[in-house]
Amino acid sequence: MTGWAGTNWQFFDDEDTQTRIGVTFGLGLLDEEVAATGTLSLVLSALRTELSRPVELGPGRTGFPEVIVELGTDTATLLVRGASQTAAAAWRRLPNLFAGWIVTEQTSPIRPEHPVWPADLVRRTGRNAAALASVQVSAADARNRARALLPRLDPGAGKIRSTFFTTDESLIGVGFRVIESAPGPVPSSCWADGTEKLLNGPGLGGTGPDSPEKPAIGNGRGTLPAGEDSVLISTLVPRSAAGLAAAELLRTQLAACAANAGHDPEAIGIGMVGIGAQFCVFLLSETAPGTARRRVLLEFGRSMSMVPDSWVDDAVQETAEGISPRLARERRSLGLDDDQGADAAQVRQALIEATHCLHLSLDPIENPSAVTKSSTKGAERIFRPLAGGTPPMDRSTTLALAEDSVALRTRSGGHGGGTINETLIKRDKALAVLVDPAGTLAIIDDDQQVLSFHPLLFRRSRLLRQRLDTQLHGLPHLENNNDADPAGVSRRRRRATRRPLWLLAGATVVIGYLVVSSVLSNSDEPQVTERITIGQTAQLGNGTTITATGFEKQPKAPEDLESQVAVHVRFCAGGDTSSGDFRPETQRSVSPTDFGMFNEQSAAARLIDSDEQLRRDTLAQGQCAVGDLVFKGVGLAVPRLSYTNSLGDDVIWYSTGQVPSAP
């Protein structure tokens, strides 16, 4: 049973034996500017912390409430759950918590809802915090912004729409009065960056059913590349019982198209997020139909609304029990009229409207905005990495800054000079700059393409920094809250900028040269520099062998920007290091921190704990250490593994076919 007290309190009952009481705000990630990313997350985290504190229930009795928060695309929900007395006591605190003092330096942001296809949402709703929900980033001033937002979020202030709900009718009106007829605050007609919301049906945003293979613009029909292979299509349906029925029928129709092409129809799944008056529906499959993908999706685009009447009737019957309490509550929180249920005509209309705003996950046949090297504006300024600064960045890597773009290019080995791989981000498509604690920059664009590098590991770093400041001026700079170690970059830069003694000036030049020559000529273990393919074995000067195999990509959630890659390492010790400047065990010792992983743009991934991790050890000659190394980072589709030690040995294992050609 579901009912209402006034316009702002909902009560319902279900099978949960615990009492629940909560509030849904008509505010979400789509309403948060990119420059304010993390603000709502901190607000909800602080409220959860305060509401979760134990409550006194009487002499010798203490209650511990459960507090759940959800940060979605266009709503945010706060829920207290527990025994009736415990839930009520915790809830009574809430009216006094909408104040900045609850946000402290110890407040950690919550993990928001992850949009399935962020690039698609950018097309539909503009640039906002939802586009960055898959990475743990926040604005530098997010805490101050959160403190300022809390008083506005207070339901008593009447600034933002909110709807309360409970499973215990005796708690209706506790903390916040029942409002009988007031309409509430008028919702904004735009998302965070000014993109207009679709208020009167998704069909108004479409361009018609005659352009299925053109690049998607806004909510119009078209294609765009998927960030994940699992995403097949997206479209819009009304945020109603009829829309939910239509979404399930679309899944069934796509499953039928896949079955006709010989693929498993049960593999087609569905996901949805709210975008105001509509649901954005994503159909996906972990076993996408390979080479038949274009044929299957185009066939679906032609037939998606031609659903048999019997299917529609069955779908309407499924809605006979009425809409869910959550859907009813969210509609009121967003200023939408109550939904009266679905009939066949409404479902059929929803299917027709969905055809007008269909986005197919396909590479567009024609794309006027496609970026190529020749399309950059103005002369390029080329920056090359410090030799040895970041192990994977050698002479085959360049960073190119043009007037309207930033590009990082790497050359892989092969006949005829190899292949140049380019990651290029146009300035007008850039979404934000993410900066981690080590100073690594990651520029992310509307298509979720990421270009990452550390300016200090390039030659002429001061000039590069100046050019970047100009190039990236006006873009939101956000803190990337990973575990990057600033000292690691400093060590790599010192190693890269270390000069041989013969470069010293004056009378010491000859002496220095003789000293260096003497040391090198008497060393039995010259520094080893190898660039090899994963699976091959490197041998150091003392006979130590290191074999790295794998580049095993571990499964990740479709919404995660970061991925995990594992490698298996076998380290077998040779003899002592005989150079007098180094300890004998230098090349017989191994540690996980001797290894690093980098993507094609030479951005470092971070090492994470694993069950079979390679252990730190000093080995006797002939002994071997075997273990795994698991790294997590952005853009690890074509990873590289590096090994260095204090002697200066430097080995890189490349993905197959990626070893750079000799300079």
Side-chain angles (χ1 to χ4, degrees):
M1 180 190 71
T2 301
W4 290 91
T7 60
N8 65 329
W9 272 93
Q10 180 192 61
F11 59 90
F12 60 94
D13 54 17
D14 55 22
E15 297 178 356
D16 193 345
T17 58
Q18 298 289 313
T19 294
R20 284 177 288 165
I21 184 169
V23 59
T24 294
F25 300 100
L27 190 72
L29 293 170
L30 299 178
D31 302 291
E32 186 169 84
E33 296 177 356
V34 172
T37 296
T39 301
L40 264 171
S41 179
L42 286 167
V43 165
L44 292 176
S45 177
L47 288 170
R48 179 178 61 184
T49 297
E50 294 302 319
L51 288 174
S52 298
R53 299 190 189 283
V55 293
E56 297 299 327
L57 302 177
R61 297 176 58 223
T62 302
F64 295 86
E66 177 186 6
V67 181
I68 301 168
V69 293
E70 295 179 3
L71 176 53
T73 46
D74 59 359
T75 62
T77 295
L78 182 67
L79 168 68
V80 180
R81 180 175 180 269
S84 184
Q85 193 176 4
T86 299
W91 180 258
R92 287 188 177 93
R93 296 171 172 167
L94 184 59
N96 298 318
L97 296 180
F98 292 95
W101 63 266
I102 71 169
V103 179
T104 70
E105 294 305 311
Q106 286 70 48
T107 303
S108 299
I110 66 166
R111 195 77 168 177
E113 176 186 6
H114 295 177
V116 176
W117 196 2
D120 178 72
L121 276 189
V122 171
R123 297 293 197 286
R124 298 187 184 279
T125 65
R127 295 172 177 173
N128 47 64
L132 298 169
S134 60
V135 287
Q136 198 75 0
V137 297
S138 58
D141 61 348
R143 281 180 169 74
N144 288 335
R145 289 176 180 265
R147 294 177 183 119
L149 175 60
L150 272 160
R152 290 187 58 240
L153 199 63
D154 182 357
K159 302 289 186 182
I160 295 170
R161 295 185 73 94
S162 56
T163 305
F164 305 98
F165 58 96
T166 182
T167 57
D168 183 345
E169 289 190 53
S170 70
L171 297 182
I172 292 174
V174 171
F176 302 92
R177 66 185 180 88
V178 174
I179 298 175
E180 294 297 340
S181 59
V186 177
S188 170
S189 61
C190 299
W191 299 119
D193 72 344
T195 299
E196 290 189 9
K197 298 179 181 179
L198 292 178
L199 301 177
N200 297 311
L204 296 179
T207 59
D210 59 343
S211 55
E213 293 192 79
K214 291 184 179 180
I217 300 174
N219 287 302
R221 186 176 170 94
T223 64
L224 67 157
E228 295 292 333
D229 290 339
S230 60
V231 180
L232 300 177
I233 71 104
S234 83
T235 190
L236 303 182
V237 298
R239 197 184 196 126
S240 64
L244 291 174
E248 181 56 32
L249 289 172
L250 291 172
R251 189 203 67 79
T252 304
Q253 186 76 327
L254 180 57
C257 292
N260 289 338
H263 297 279
D264 181 11
E266 297 298 322
I268 304 298
I270 189 169
M272 281 183 284
V273 297
I275 56 171
Q278 287 79 38
F279 282 122
C280 188
V281 179
F282 304 98
L283 299 183
L284 48 148
S285 173
E286 291 300 332
T287 56
T291 56
R293 182 189 187 100
R294 181 174 292 275
R295 177 164 56 86
V296 169
L297 295 189
L298 291 179
E299 172 59 28
F300 171 74
R302 288 188 291 268
S303 65
M304 59 186 291
S305 65
M306 293 185 285
V307 174
D309 290 338
S310 58
W311 292 12
V312 174
D313 292 339
D314 290 343
V316 171
Q317 188 62 36
E318 291 290 328
T319 70
E321 295 183 3
I323 67 172
S324 70
R326 177 171 184 150
L327 176 57
R329 182 169 65 248
E330 288 180 347
R331 286 184 65 89
R332 287 209 180 182
S333 299
L334 295 167
L336 303 175
D337 294 335
D338 289 348
D339 184 23
Q340 302 304 316
D343 59 33
Q346 291 173 327
V347 174
R348 183 68 70 182
Q349 181 62 28
L351 290 170
I352 293 171
E353 289 182 341
T355 66
H356 293 275
C357 43
L358 174 67
H359 287 177
L360 300 179
S361 171
L362 293 172
D363 290 329
I365 290 179
E366 53 177 316
N367 188 350
S369 63
V371 173
T372 62
K373 181 179 177 182
S374 61
S375 70
T376 58
K377 183 178 180 181
E380 289 185 337
R381 177 65 67 92
I382 302 298
F383 294 87
R384 301 186 185 280
L386 296 168
T390 301
M393 290 205 302
D394 47 36
R395 297 181 192 179
S396 67
T397 301
T398 58
L399 184 67
L401 270 63
E403 185 178 332
D404 63 342
S405 64
V406 180
L408 197 137
R409 303 181 184 121
T410 57
R411 183 187 297 275
S412 58
H415 297 292
T419 302
I420 294 179
N421 302 304
E422 179 182 74
T423 300
L424 186 148
I425 290 184
K426 300 285 279 187
R427 175 60 178 81
D428 61 349
K429 299 294 184 183
L431 181 68
V433 180
L434 316 182
V435 186
D436 73 10
T440 302
L441 303 183
I443 308 171
I444 185 169
D445 70 3
D446 292 344
D447 289 327
Q448 300 289 289
Q449 183 180 219
V450 178
L451 189 157
S452 51
F453 59 93
H454 200 299
L456 288 179
L457 298 179
F458 282 82
R459 300 172 186 172
R460 299 179 296 164
S461 60
R462 182 175 298 178
L463 175 61
L464 172 58
R465 185 77 258 186
Q466 292 172 349
R467 291 293 298 266
L468 287 171
D469 288 344
T470 300
Q471 187 90 333
L472 305 178
H473 178 71
L475 278 179
H477 283 57
L478 305 174
E479 295 179 346
N480 188 359
N481 306 312
N482 61 22
D483 301 322
D485 179 15
V489 173
S490 299
R491 286 193 298 269
R492 294 203 300 273
R493 180 170 173 81
R494 284 197 301 271
R495 184 166 62 243
T497 55
R498 189 180 298 140
R499 295 291 186 265
L501 296 180
W502 54 267
L503 289 179
L504 296 177
T508 60
V509 169
V510 175
I511 297 173
Y513 174 74
L514 293 175
V515 171
V516 171
S517 299
S518 174
V519 170
L520 292 179
S521 63
N522 290 317
S523 173
D524 293 330
E525 290 85 33
Q527 296 174 351
V528 168
T529 300
E530 289 200 44
R531 303 293 182 260
I532 55 181
T533 299
I534 191 71
Q536 294 182 329
T537 299
Q539 181 168 321
L540 308 185
N542 72 325
T544 290
T545 60
I546 312 171
T547 306
T549 57
F551 284 161
E552 178 183 342
K553 298 174 180 63
Q554 300 183 350
K556 63 168 185 159
E559 65 272 8
D560 285 345
L561 193 61
E562 293 187 312
S563 57
Q564 291 184 194
V565 177
V567 293
H568 184 73
V569 174
R570 181 179 179 85
F571 185 101
C572 295
D576 287 347
T577 299
S578 61
S579 172
D581 294 337
F582 296 89
R583 298 170 65 90
E585 67 271 18
T586 296
Q587 293 167 297
R588 292 189 286 104
S589 299
V590 63
S591 169
T593 58
D594 295 338
F595 297 84
M597 184 169 287
F598 302 81
N599 64 18
E600 287 186 283
Q601 289 80 47
S602 302
R606 62 187 184 279
L607 182 69
I608 62 175
D609 291 336
S610 57
D611 293 339
E612 303 295 331
Q613 181 165 300
L614 180 72
R615 70 183 188 278
R616 181 186 182 96
D617 206 350
T618 297
L619 307 173
Q621 185 172 0
Q623 283 188 320
C624 295
V626 178
D628 294 335
L629 298 172
V630 180
F631 294 87
K632 187 171 185 178
V634 173
L636 295 179
V638 186
R640 310 172 188 182
L641 179 74
S642 68
Y643 165 82
T644 57
N645 58 31
S646 58
L647 181 69
D649 293 322
D650 176 7
V651 182
I652 302 173
W653 288 267
Y654 286 80
S655 298
T656 302
Q658 298 297 312
V659 178
S661 53

